[in-house]
Amino acid sequence: NLYLALDVQNINMCQDINKPKHYTTDYNTPNLVVRRGQEFVMRVTFNRPLVAGDDFHIEFQIGSDPSPNKGSLVMVNFGNRINGLWSGQILESQGQCVTFGITPTTNAIVGKFQVYVAISRGNGMQRTKRDAATDMYLLFNAWCPEDHVFLPDEAERQEYVLNDEGVIYQGSSDSVTERPWTYGQFERGILDACIFVLDASQMPIYDRGNIVKVVRVGSAMMNSQDDNGVMVGNWSNDYSMGKPPTSWTGSTKILLQYANTGVPVCFAQCWVFAGVFNTFLRCLGIPARVITNYNSAHDNTGNLKTDLIFNADGTPDRRNTRDSIWNYHCWNEVIIKRSDLPPGLEGWQVVDATPQETSDGYFRCGPAPVIAIKEGQLCYPFDCGFVFAEVNSDVVFLKRDKYGNLTPFKVDKTYIGEKICTKAVGSQQAMNITDTYKFPEGNTHTHIHTHTHTHTHTRGPKQTHNACDSLRPPLQCDIGQDIQLTVTFKNNGNILRTVQAHLDCDIIFYTGVVASHFKDIPFNATVLVPFKIPAYEYQDQLSSQTCVRFMVTAQSGNVHLLDFKVVELQTPSVKVMLNQEMAVKVEFTNIFSFPLRGVTLSLEGAGLIAPKTKYYREIAPQTTISWQEVFTPRLPGLRRITALIDCQEVRQVTSTTRPAAEPTHSCH
């Protein structure tokens, strides 16, 4: 009956049609997920066929106070009415069933929208009843050329937006180690958790389509300092009030716990902040990757130099040294257009969620254009100077005399940012991206910019000195082994010289901070001195740290010498095996002469198996434990399961299932 008042009987969000076209099939949610700037379809069944003069529109609302002026209330009109912000068209009409095509703007607000059909009734509009099943998530769109997160390469989109697992690089520049990490951006509840993070930040709804503002808020909200954000940073050895940072296998448990409680999760260090931030970014559709910078400077003084101070006797002056050099530091890069900056500064941008220094009053960092860091254009927002110092500052070694005067005796221009790595596209190999932050070796490229740092450093060979000392520890050494090292002095003169020297042995956090000073050796030498550090001298001091730093300071006449090396001790292995019955088996053997107590064994695999943990009160020496878990895969394709062992005596024991034909990892 064409004279019946128009009414809606059913709204179908057409998930089977939309999700594959929007690359959102993997999201484990009952609701539709689409990307902005791209058409999606929805099917509305009315109580009769449409006729000319029917007055209705489809309404999309987000936030607690939707407003057309702020883009949080969008009306898509049909027929004679002027169209709104989003465009809409009738694609097909079969009797009472009408298929609509709707295209959100490329700068639309990102988040969860409520969907209504509103029909004209007298002087007003009557909306359909609230139906949670028709709610719709709208994301950033790396496939849309007009979206500010557009990424033209399909392989890169698959990696930086759709890959839900990865590798985070740790260790040292001489001995790169890998940590499998499950991002899990498609797992149940994660998309809601990421939106909860934006809500918890009290970020205005109308700003949530602005990519620069979203990543900046995300950077601040990943850490709990000053804004009650997702994770609490802890760089001590006391993790009794939470979980050690080394015990996490991925991001999902952290984000879900935060979303369920609203309480910051304990505890995180830089790779955890970067891993969880990467999940947040990819989940919202922002192309992102985790970066590791080896020999990363933390410039507390803001002078773009790293000052290391020594006492008159050659020992480190820890009390007065404010700057630090981290063995490695992890942050994120996002690839976005910077409409707030001059042309040429788009592309990869550094964003860092680890709370180090404040930026505009909050602990956050970025987005800072990588190209601006390389070119030394440090005046552009945000935080380019801090990142420049992390990858490119000079290390200045200063000696303090008895009056407190500081005299520089060595400058190293190449140690900081020695190697910068990220996971390669489409493989498990590491990709060296140092050249994106610095000019290649031998390149004397220099820029001078008003109001910016007046030069950029180039990467070059290690400095040599007229009388240089060389400290050679083993590149790899297992926990529990004696450490053999050699100190060599080179005399470029014609007169025999005796050098007064000092060997300083420390267990250090990966941040360069001394966790335990366990040995001092003063000695005299002319050429070469071998040392043996027995395992029992350092092993009891290790706790959660696996880094030993050896530092030699020496003096011959007026010549001051210094060298230091960091040895990353290797942890034992854990085996992860798959069988044909879709079960995973984990085996671990305690190879040490002492028992391991309070051991947690964790398993996780994106799209395969939710995070699971098993607790062992004690694993006796030379004892093997075994755990088998059956699972049902949710997602197809080549996927991985990560296992991790964590206890007070040994950390960072992790492994992952790996196809036999896969290439090995390297970062040259």
Side-chain angles (χ1 to χ4, degrees), residues 37 40 85 87 151 194 241 262 296 321-322 328 336 356 370-371 393 475 482 517 538 573 588 615 626 629 643 655:
F40 65 90
L85 286 174
S87 61
L151 190 56
C194 294
M241 301 299 291
S296 186
T321 298
R322 296 186 59 199
Y328 65 89
I336 60 175
Q356 297 183 90
V370 173
I371 187 64
S393 60
L475 288 180
D482 297 343
H517 175 69
Y538 70 79
S573 60
F588 173 75
Y615 179 79
S626 178
E629 193 75 33
S655 184

Side-chain angles (χ1 to χ4, degrees), residues 22-39:
H22 287 255
Y23 299 94
T24 58
T25 305
D26 289 352
Y27 283 93
N28 189 3
T29 172
N31 294 88
L32 177 63
V33 183
V34 293
R35 302 182 190 275
R36 65 186 191 178
Q38 181 177 337
E39 186 178 69

Side-chain angles (χ1 to χ4, degrees), residues 93 109 112 146 162 246-247 259-260 354 365 443 494 497 528 577 583 636:
S93 184
I109 293 169
K112 189 176 185 179
E146 287 76 38
L162 299 182
T246 50
S247 68
N260 288 333
T354 300
C365 180
N443 191 327
N494 298 319
R497 292 176 180 268
L528 182 147
M577 298 161 285

Side-chain angles (χ1 to χ4, degrees), residues 36 61-74 85-86 105-113 138 140 198-199 201-214 217:
R36 65 186 191 178
Q61 299 183 11
I62 187 170
S64 58
D65 185 23
S67 164
N69 294 335
K70 295 185 176 179
S72 53
L73 171 56
V74 179
L85 286 174
W86 298 6
T105 55
T106 55
N107 63 348
I109 293 169
V110 166
K112 189 176 185 179
F113 285 82
L138 188 63
F140 293 98
L198 294 177
D199 292 340
S201 74
Q202 299 184 326
M203 182 184 193
I205 289 288
Y206 54 81
D207 279 341
R208 298 187 190 183
N210 183 315
I211 181 61
V212 172
K213 291 182 178 180
V214 168
V217 165

Side-chain angles (χ1 to χ4, degrees), residues 85-96:
L85 286 174
W86 298 6
S87 61
Q89 58 177 324
I90 296 176
L91 298 175
E92 186 181 26
S93 184
Q94 291 186 337
Q96 298 167 221

Side-chain angles (χ1 to χ4, degrees), residues 5-11 44-47 117-119 121 128:
L6 189 65
D7 203 359
V8 174
Q9 293 182 338
N10 180 259
I11 299 175
V44 178
T45 303
F46 295 97
N47 61 335
V117 177
I119 299 172
R121 289 279 191 275
T128 49

Side-chain angles (χ1 to χ4, degrees), residues 237 477-483 505-508 515-519 533-548 550 569-572 590-596 621-622 647-651:
N237 269 328
C477 181
D478 292 338
I479 291 177
Q481 284 186 338
D482 297 343
I483 302 175
C505 309
D506 300 310
I507 306 293
I508 62 169
S516 175
H517 175 69
F518 70 90
K519 197 175 184 69
I533 310 297
Y536 67 83
E537 291 191 347
Y538 70 79
Q539 194 159 293
D540 291 343
Q541 312 286 329
L542 283 178
S543 186
S544 63
Q545 312 312 314
T546 56
C547 297
V548 183
F550 299 102
L569 298 174
Q570 304 300 301
T571 57
N590 178 6
I591 63 173
F592 299 113
S593 59
F594 51 86
L596 302 178
Q622 308 308 314
C647 64
Q648 184 66 29
E649 290 81 12
V650 60
R651 310 269 191 210

